[in-house]
């Protein structure tokens, strides 16, 4: 999956976490969003630690703050 860019919504836990981890292994660049920023950041950091590429976005800040975008 080299060169693939993926965005996973709800990526911090449950059903959303598995695709994040699965996409990161083959080399995709991953952005995960979640209403829970801290778990999303931990997953992104774990993917980095395993030589993957990931970033986390706090969806709560974007969804509930009209000035955030």
């Amino acid at each position: 999956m080299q060169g693939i860019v993926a965005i996973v919504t709800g990526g911090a836990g449950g059903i959303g976490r598995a695709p994040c981890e699965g996409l990161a292994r083959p080399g995709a660049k991953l952005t995960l969003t979640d209403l829970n920023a801290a778990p999303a950041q931990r997953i992104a950091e774990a993917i980095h630690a395993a030589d993957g590429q990931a970033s986390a976005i706090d969806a709560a800040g974007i969804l509930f703050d009209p000035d955030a975008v």
Side-chain angles (χ1 to χ4, degrees):
M1 299 194 67
Q2 290 298 110
I4 299 296
V5 176
I7 300 171
V8 178
T9 59
I15 293 172
R17 184 175 181 161
C20 290
E21 293 170 342
L23 287 165
R25 278 189 217 120
K29 293 179 182 177
L30 176 67
T31 297
L32 60 124
T33 67
D34 203 280
L35 295 174
N36 299 311
Q41 186 60 40
R42 284 193 296 271
I43 292 169
E45 290 169 359
I47 290 170
H48 276 280
D51 294 326
Q53 297 181 51
S55 60
I57 296 175
D58 177 8
I62 293 171
L63 292 175
F64 301 113
D65 181 0
D67 296 323
V69 263

